[in-house]
Amino acid sequence: MEDIAHPETPGSDPAEGEAVLERRGLDRLIAVLRHDGYRVIGPTLDDNAIVLRELESGDRLPDGWGVTTAPGLYRVHRRDDAAVFGHSSGPQSWKQYLHPPRRQLWSTDGDGDFETPPDEEVAYAFLGVRGCDLAAIRVLRKVLCEGTPADGRTAALFSRLFIVAVDCTEPGGVCFCASMGTGPGAHGEYDLRLTERLGDGGPRYLVDVGTSRGADVLARVPHGTAASEEVERAAQAVCAAAEHMGRHMPDVDLRELLRTARDAEVWDDVASRCLTCGNCTMVCPTCFCTTVEDVTDLSGTHAERWQRWASCFEPEYSHLHGGDVRESGQSRYRQWISHKLGTWYDQFGSSGCVGCGRCIDWCPVGIDITEEAARLTGALPTIGPDPTEGSG
Amino acid sequence: MAPASDPMVPTRYRVGDRTTETHDSVTLTLVPVRAALPTFDPGQFMMLAVPGVGEVAISISGDPAAPELQHTVRAVGAVSRAIHDAPVGSALGVRGPFGTGWDLGSCAGRDVVIVAGGVGLAAVRSALLAILAGREAYRRVVLVVGARSPDEFLFRRELDAWGASGAIDLEITVDQPTGDWDGSVGFVTEPVGRLSLDPGRTTALLCGPEPMMRFAARVLIGNGVAAEDVRVSLERNMQCGIALCGHCQLGELLLCRDGPVVDYATAGPLLHVREL
Amino acid sequence: MNHPASEPNPRLAGLDPEHLQTLLGLSRLVQFAAGEHVFREGDLARRLWLVQDGRVMLHTYVPGRGDVPIQTLGAGDVLGWSWLTAPHRWHFTATALSEARAREIDAAILHESSSADPAFGYAVVRALSGALVDRLQATRARLLDLYGEPDSIPRQTNPAAR
């Protein structure tokens, strides 16, 4: 049932002569991917944040930019080095490409057939997918593609996806990937995995090949061979990052804890702070809820159905028989955290949370999901350790 | 043309017939314009769409053995009213069948007690038709139906015929008597409480407003029927019917996939948490 | 009118067989024709009945509306509660809708037997209370108007909601 693996030493067995790229190798990597027909999505500085955009070239990467994150706080700042990936999760996640905020489901005229929009056959290459986000992509694939009959367009997006993952060596201010078993090293399914190393000559990127598709791309990017000590030091840096996380999810059986807490009084506390604004659901890389909307043209004969992102914090989300089942803010916060940390296991076989910390960052009142989980533990002390987690 | 396999794309069905049941409910008989959807199990639902207005989940009320599709629709909102008003010859969009059914197979050789209130009778009619078609497979079959007033019974003539046939024990009761009603007056739990049951060999199927199902389940369980043998048909906001939109969650259950029919051992604790 | 008991005796849920026998021993079997009144509103209330078969309707007169049915009772139901409390007068009228048979118990005799055997009295009161609770809960359920049109039911703001 558990599909988030334990954090392991990234890079597994360092291949004899692991590849290494210089900074210009990243530019070349982007060019090769674009040549192969991918739309390369990666981080860039825009609007005072590190956001995800389509990258025409490596010039747009956020060299030397870092971020300061804390509950309810996100600020970019200049680093004193030229790191390209020296920043933690921004306000967006990769889900906006795999599970678009708006898309048309069908259109119809009169009593005619229902037409679906054609598959535009977009192939994305994601550059800079951290461990937390790699886990999130895996979680989304499970939800959107592996349940009841999969929607062809979404399944195709996932199958065409090229992933260049990135290890983290600096925990961000709100990150807790280590305690969720998703980082700081990126592990799982990727085509290439980079570990950024900063030295006097500028940043270098150790490359681990994950698939033959990745090997094929790497072969066309000029690269050197890393010394085994360099590989070893990189692995140690990632391990060290795991020891310096700023926060962690309590090591308890969260599924059982949340199930037991349903009727408890504990929710009044967070309810007094939560604005039910829904920011957390928008920035969360695994929140997937949608709502459908029907529209017509003025003549009323052409109708379309559109699907848009929805949030369980919307009052009308649970609309039924003239009212909303979850009317209070309390019940809606309980729903969000219980689903994310608890019932997701029942429905999809894993936790819905990957420890990226975005919800903590982007909550206007700074509600911290790890703190709320700890508060529940304090209020209900009888719940034991998580049986699905291994040691560490 | 959309591929038939895309689960969010409806199939066109034409309204072949309309039967008025009450002042706000109608039974529509639908026929496929081209391809028909797969056959259903009693208790399952379809997503019915009026393009441009919206889509709602409606239990299938017809005979699973019949070629046409029947739905009994009560006009309670914009979409259900549009479906309710659909004239003969108009075309609706249909997706499904979705969800869990009443599992009549597991009722073979047992007493079946069906309790339906209000429009909930529509969701058990398909089960009744299937039971009547294979009556010898079951022991005693009891149907208890509650309605607000005498004018608000669905399938009134069919109910009378079923009662008169002797194939089932029928009890109908109203909350508010009107006119010259000389039948039973009282909430459905009262005739249910009066049943002399063989609780170890009884399966109960309940459908109606949620509090009605809770109260009736309490009476049945109080009289010895196992919670696992009491089944309820649950309802929540549904947008997709295929476990992708998230709206129909009730605790760990996704009602479009783990319901709408849920056993009371599972459902009972969930139904007693406010605003879950 | 008395007739020999030929049908199974009514149960009273929650009353053990021994005490049920004692209670039935205090009762007599009575029969009502369709349309016959069992009791009338305002009369002295001195008896209760355990309905054995048939149907009885409880109703009251409302000027302009005529006789308004309140509840129907059938086999297994307890009929008649007003003997319990002052002023010991029937609240409503009870009329048999069909031929009906019941076990009639005199309230004074029940009080006497209960004083003489408090264990029996307590058991009977507990069982009667159970029947009363069921009747009350079913009546409250009707007040909820659960089958009504959702938009027509006035909404009450949830005091616990934010």
mmCIF file of all heavy atoms in Angstrom, chain C residues 1-5 27-31 102 104:
data_model
loop_
_atom_site.group_PDB
_atom_site.id
_atom_site.type_symbol
_atom_site.label_atom_id
_atom_site.label_comp_id
_atom_site.label_asym_id
_atom_site.label_seq_id
_atom_site.Cartn_x
_atom_site.Cartn_y
_atom_site.Cartn_z
ATOM 1 N N MET C 1 -66.490 -6.404 24.421
ATOM 2 C CA MET C 1 -66.897 -7.801 24.159
ATOM 3 C C MET C 1 -65.698 -8.707 24.268
ATOM 4 O O MET C 1 -64.627 -8.362 23.783
ATOM 5 C CB MET C 1 -67.446 -7.905 22.734
ATOM 6 C CG MET C 1 -68.886 -7.461 22.639
ATOM 7 S SD MET C 1 -69.443 -7.688 20.946
ATOM 8 C CE MET C 1 -68.621 -6.354 20.123
ATOM 9 N N ASN C 2 -65.867 -9.818 24.911
ATOM 10 C CA ASN C 2 -64.737 -10.743 25.030
ATOM 11 C C ASN C 2 -64.833 -11.866 24.018
ATOM 12 O O ASN C 2 -65.918 -12.346 23.720
ATOM 13 C CB ASN C 2 -64.726 -11.360 26.429
ATOM 14 C CG ASN C 2 -64.213 -10.378 27.469
ATOM 15 O OD1 ASN C 2 -63.742 -9.302 27.119
ATOM 16 N ND2 ASN C 2 -64.322 -10.758 28.718
ATOM 17 N N HIS C 3 -63.669 -12.270 23.530
ATOM 18 C CA HIS C 3 -63.593 -13.453 22.678
ATOM 19 C C HIS C 3 -62.428 -14.274 23.148
ATOM 20 O O HIS C 3 -61.450 -13.725 23.638
ATOM 21 C CB HIS C 3 -63.379 -13.060 21.212
ATOM 22 C CG HIS C 3 -64.598 -12.466 20.586
ATOM 23 N ND1 HIS C 3 -65.471 -13.209 19.825
ATOM 24 C CD2 HIS C 3 -65.103 -11.205 20.630
ATOM 25 C CE1 HIS C 3 -66.457 -12.412 19.408
ATOM 26 N NE2 HIS C 3 -66.252 -11.192 19.888
ATOM 27 N N PRO C 4 -62.505 -15.593 22.981
ATOM 28 C CA PRO C 4 -61.359 -16.394 23.440
ATOM 29 C C PRO C 4 -60.110 -16.005 22.642
ATOM 30 O O PRO C 4 -60.206 -15.700 21.457
ATOM 31 C CB PRO C 4 -61.748 -17.851 23.126
ATOM 32 C CG PRO C 4 -63.072 -17.827 22.499
ATOM 33 C CD PRO C 4 -63.556 -16.428 22.359
ATOM 34 N N ALA C 5 -58.998 -15.992 23.299
ATOM 35 C CA ALA C 5 -57.763 -15.621 22.615
ATOM 36 C C ALA C 5 -57.405 -16.713 21.624
ATOM 37 O O ALA C 5 -57.239 -17.869 21.980
ATOM 38 C CB ALA C 5 -56.641 -15.463 23.634
ATOM 39 N N SER C 27 -55.020 -8.525 31.855
ATOM 40 C CA SER C 27 -55.748 -7.915 30.740
ATOM 41 C C SER C 27 -56.923 -8.774 30.334
ATOM 42 O O SER C 27 -57.072 -9.920 30.764
ATOM 43 C CB SER C 27 -54.797 -7.773 29.548
ATOM 44 O OG SER C 27 -54.585 -9.044 28.948
ATOM 45 N N ARG C 28 -57.759 -8.172 29.508
ATOM 46 C CA ARG C 28 -58.809 -8.964 28.885
ATOM 47 C C ARG C 28 -58.806 -8.629 27.399
ATOM 48 O O ARG C 28 -58.469 -7.515 26.993
ATOM 49 C CB ARG C 28 -60.166 -8.669 29.521
ATOM 50 C CG ARG C 28 -60.585 -7.228 29.393
ATOM 51 C CD ARG C 28 -61.904 -6.941 30.057
ATOM 52 N NE ARG C 28 -62.400 -5.652 29.609
ATOM 53 C CZ ARG C 28 -63.685 -5.376 29.349
ATOM 54 N NH1 ARG C 28 -64.591 -6.309 29.490
ATOM 55 N NH2 ARG C 28 -64.043 -4.173 28.952
ATOM 56 N N LEU C 29 -59.171 -9.614 26.601
ATOM 57 C CA LEU C 29 -59.187 -9.419 25.155
ATOM 58 C C LEU C 29 -60.463 -8.685 24.783
ATOM 59 O O LEU C 29 -61.550 -9.055 25.221
ATOM 60 C CB LEU C 29 -59.134 -10.776 24.452
ATOM 61 C CG LEU C 29 -58.967 -10.737 22.937
ATOM 62 C CD1 LEU C 29 -57.638 -10.110 22.545
ATOM 63 C CD2 LEU C 29 -59.053 -12.165 22.371
ATOM 64 N N VAL C 30 -60.330 -7.642 24.006
ATOM 65 C CA VAL C 30 -61.497 -6.895 23.552
ATOM 66 C C VAL C 30 -61.446 -6.758 22.033
ATOM 67 O O VAL C 30 -60.378 -6.889 21.423
ATOM 68 C CB VAL C 30 -61.574 -5.482 24.193
ATOM 69 C CG1 VAL C 30 -61.786 -5.581 25.692
ATOM 70 C CG2 VAL C 30 -60.329 -4.685 23.871
ATOM 71 N N GLN C 31 -62.607 -6.519 21.460
ATOM 72 C CA GLN C 31 -62.699 -6.391 20.000
ATOM 73 C C GLN C 31 -63.498 -5.145 19.645
ATOM 74 O O GLN C 31 -64.448 -4.793 20.328
ATOM 75 C CB GLN C 31 -63.379 -7.620 19.411
ATOM 76 C CG GLN C 31 -63.477 -7.561 17.898
ATOM 77 C CD GLN C 31 -63.728 -8.926 17.303
ATOM 78 O OE1 GLN C 31 -63.030 -9.896 17.620
ATOM 79 N NE2 GLN C 31 -64.712 -9.023 16.459
ATOM 80 N N ALA C 102 -57.573 -6.140 20.788
ATOM 81 C CA ALA C 102 -56.518 -5.632 21.666
ATOM 82 C C ALA C 102 -56.654 -6.250 23.043
ATOM 83 O O ALA C 102 -57.701 -6.779 23.425
ATOM 84 C CB ALA C 102 -56.625 -4.114 21.771
ATOM 85 N N GLU C 104 -56.867 -5.272 26.733
ATOM 86 C CA GLU C 104 -57.206 -4.069 27.490
ATOM 87 C C GLU C 104 -56.778 -4.255 28.944
ATOM 88 O O GLU C 104 -57.024 -5.306 29.553
ATOM 89 C CB GLU C 104 -58.722 -3.857 27.432
ATOM 90 C CG GLU C 104 -59.210 -2.642 28.164
ATOM 91 C CD GLU C 104 -60.723 -2.553 28.080
ATOM 92 O OE1 GLU C 104 -61.230 -2.113 27.034
ATOM 93 O OE2 GLU C 104 -61.392 -2.952 29.062
#
